[in-house]
Amino acid sequence: MAVARKRQISLVDTKYYHCISRCVRRAFLCCEDRFTGKSYAHRRGWVEEKLLMLAKVFCIDVCAYAVMSNHTHLVLYVDDKKVNRLNDKAIVIRWHKLCKGTLLTQKYIQGEKLSKAERIFFNQTVKQYRERLSSISWFMRLLNEDIARRANKEDKCTGRFWEGRFKSQALLDEAALAACMAYVDLNPIRAKMAKTPEESDHTSVQKRIDSATISKQPKQLLRFAGMPRQIMPKGLPFELKSYLDLVDLTGRIMREDKRGCIDNNHLPILERLNISPENWLKLTTQFTRVFHGAVGRPSSQVSYCENLNRKRRANISNCEKLLA
């Protein structure tokens, strides 16, 4: 049975979530329709452009993404601290970049004075906008609605474009986060859409590699902050070079003649996270098949389930086998 969205998001336990949206139509979302011969490849650019634009406005960072032929994968980080630091004006300005707002918010931005009664309604609206700007549901809604409208207009039709609501998975610890990011970044290679990570168009790994060649990190994505330490800045808890090495090496061992033949010494992140190469290979090739809910070590699942008042712990046996 499907779990309500509010029972899947627990920022106390983790700020990282894996989101998947699938297209319902026979004609692929962003590829060539083998029945008509028409190409929809340009729509992959629509998704990537809209995704990175929303990341600038929302207090939600993009860790990894892959725009495939008929579905999208995202790994998102919810920055709830940032949204609480923003003042009312900053919140309204951000929301107006997405929607028109209300007469009161428009009046406020234009510098007009609000009456006492208007101020009460304005404060309620700002509170609502603040919550939305750190909501994964609103992030995905605005992303998917925009693409659906543009695709429907192009196809000159109406109706559903996406397969219901998006699916989400909580990533409860570093092992789950690293595995899921590698799984997302390697999607085009597994689907034979690309031969190498740097050739994987419309993916986060390609964008990171392009920036790494000039010794930089892309501003549109959540940066790698390095190994965890006592005073940890905002960012992914890995070294960028180690992660790129990890993705490249993991991609290599997916070949039939090299499965499970990699030396532990070549994968420093796996050693640190205490995941065997065999388990890592399974995680990064079958992530969504193995896990159908929150992902993390059994100890991470305890707090997550308690905070959401959930008795059943999804994936507990697989988490014990692969992440313990």
Side-chain angles (χ1 to χ4, degrees), residues 40-71:
Y40 298 98
H42 58 282
R43 291 180 181 172
R44 297 177 73 195
W46 290 359
V47 178
E48 184 175 36
E49 182 183 7
K50 185 67 176 182
L51 168 66
L52 298 178
M53 185 281 284
L54 289 175
K56 289 181 181 179
V57 179
F58 275 80
C59 293
I60 293 177
D61 295 287
V62 178
C63 305
Y65 67 87
V67 184
M68 305 298 289
S69 60
N70 63 355
H71 66 284

Side-chain angles (χ1 to χ4, degrees), residues 13-64:
D13 297 292
T14 182
K15 301 180 191 299
Y16 296 98
Y17 294 86
H18 175 212
C19 301
I20 310 166
S21 295
R22 294 188 181 278
C23 181
V24 298
R25 294 187 189 157
R26 180 190 68 190
F28 283 174
L29 161 67
C30 305
C31 199
E32 184 175 306
D33 184 348
R34 60 174 176 263
F35 294 96
T36 65
K38 185 176 180 180
S39 175
Y40 298 98
H42 58 282
R43 291 180 181 172
R44 297 177 73 195
W46 290 359
V47 178
E48 184 175 36
E49 182 183 7
K50 185 67 176 182
L51 168 66
L52 298 178
M53 185 281 284
L54 289 175
K56 289 181 181 179
V57 179
F58 275 80
C59 293
I60 293 177
D61 295 287
V62 178
C63 305

Side-chain angles (χ1 to χ4, degrees), residues 83-142:
V83 80
N84 290 326
R85 286 198 305 266
L86 296 175
N87 59 34
D88 290 352
K89 187 173 183 179
I91 291 291
V92 173
I93 289 174
R94 281 174 178 255
W95 189 255
H96 281 184
K97 291 180 180 179
L98 304 170
C99 304
K100 291 181 180 179
T102 66
L103 291 175
L104 287 179
T105 58
Q106 292 287 353
K107 186 176 178 180
Y108 172 79
I109 288 299
Q110 291 169 9
E112 298 181 31
K113 190 173 182 180
L114 302 180
S115 67
K116 205 169 185 179
E118 288 176 329
R119 175 60 71 169
I120 293 174
F121 286 107
F122 171 79
N123 289 339
Q124 292 175 349
T125 302
V126 172
K127 181 182 178 182
Q128 188 179 61
Y129 290 172
R130 193 181 297 275
E131 291 172 355
R132 290 178 180 178
L133 286 174
S134 60
S135 166
I136 288 178
S137 291
W138 271 92
F139 186 96
M140 295 300 295
R141 173 181 175 176
L142 293 178

Side-chain angles (χ1 to χ4, degrees), residues 15-275:
K15 301 180 191 299
Y16 296 98
Y17 294 86
H18 175 212
C19 301
I20 310 166
S21 295
R22 294 188 181 278
C23 181
V24 298
R25 294 187 189 157
R26 180 190 68 190
F28 283 174
L29 161 67
C30 305
C31 199
E32 184 175 306
D33 184 348
R34 60 174 176 263
F35 294 96
T36 65
K38 185 176 180 180
S39 175
Y40 298 98
H42 58 282
R43 291 180 181 172
R44 297 177 73 195
W46 290 359
V47 178
E48 184 175 36
E49 182 183 7
K50 185 67 176 182
L51 168 66
L52 298 178
M53 185 281 284
L54 289 175
K56 289 181 181 179
V57 179
F58 275 80
C59 293
I60 293 177
D61 295 287
V62 178
C63 305
Y65 67 87
V67 184
M68 305 298 289
S69 60
N70 63 355
H71 66 284
T72 62
H73 285 279
L74 310 177
V75 177
L76 304 175
Y77 171 86
V78 182
D79 194 347
D80 54 333
K81 292 182 179 179
K82 179 179 179 179
V83 80
N84 290 326
R85 286 198 305 266
L86 296 175
N87 59 34
D88 290 352
K89 187 173 183 179
I91 291 291
V92 173
I93 289 174
R94 281 174 178 255
W95 189 255
H96 281 184
K97 291 180 180 179
L98 304 170
C99 304
K100 291 181 180 179
T102 66
L103 291 175
L104 287 179
T105 58
Q106 292 287 353
K107 186 176 178 180
Y108 172 79
I109 288 299
Q110 291 169 9
E112 298 181 31
K113 190 173 182 180
L114 302 180
S115 67
K116 205 169 185 179
E118 288 176 329
R119 175 60 71 169
I120 293 174
F121 286 107
F122 171 79
N123 289 339
Q124 292 175 349
T125 302
V126 172
K127 181 182 178 182
Q128 188 179 61
Y129 290 172
R130 193 181 297 275
E131 291 172 355
R132 290 178 180 178
L133 286 174
S134 60
S135 166
I136 288 178
S137 291
W138 271 92
F139 186 96
M140 295 300 295
R141 173 181 175 176
L142 293 178
L143 172 63
N144 288 347
E145 279 187 1
D146 180 74
I147 303 305
R149 286 197 181 100
R150 293 178 70 176
N152 280 352
K153 185 177 181 181
E154 184 178 59
D155 294 339
K156 297 179 182 178
C157 68
T158 59
R160 281 187 175 274
F161 185 79
W162 299 101
E163 188 181 70
R165 295 192 69 192
F166 69 94
K167 296 178 182 178
S168 69
Q169 294 177 294
L171 306 174
L172 301 178
D173 51 38
E174 291 176 24
L177 175 62
C180 188
M181 286 182 62
Y183 166 79
V184 170
D185 279 332
L186 288 169
N187 249 255
I189 293 174
R190 285 193 296 276
K192 296 183 180 180
M193 294 172 66
K195 294 182 179 180
T196 62
E198 57 268 29
E199 294 175 357
S200 301
D201 294 333
H202 308 294
T203 62
S204 53
V205 70
Q206 185 188 58
K207 193 168 287 294
R208 291 191 188 280
I209 290 171
D210 289 344
S211 294
T213 56
I214 54 175
S215 303
K216 292 184 178 181
Q217 294 200 47
K219 294 181 179 179
Q220 304 100 318
L221 303 176
L222 184 63
R223 66 187 298 274
F224 282 81
M227 304 289 278
R229 45 199 183 276
Q230 191 170 6
I231 302 177
M232 185 69 183
K234 175 185 170 182
L236 294 163
F238 314 115
E239 295 285 350
L240 173 60
K241 183 181 181 301
S242 296
Y243 177 75
L244 293 179
D245 287 341
L246 174 67
V247 170
D248 184 64
L249 289 169
T250 305
R252 291 174 189 274
I253 62 174
M254 285 179 190
R255 289 166 50 182
E256 291 183 359
D257 60 335
K258 290 191 177 180
R259 281 187 179 273
C261 297
I262 197 161
D263 190 337
N264 281 343
N265 293 328
H266 293 284
L267 298 174
I269 288 184
L270 299 194
E271 292 177 358
R272 182 168 63 81
L273 298 181
N274 194 28
I275 304 177

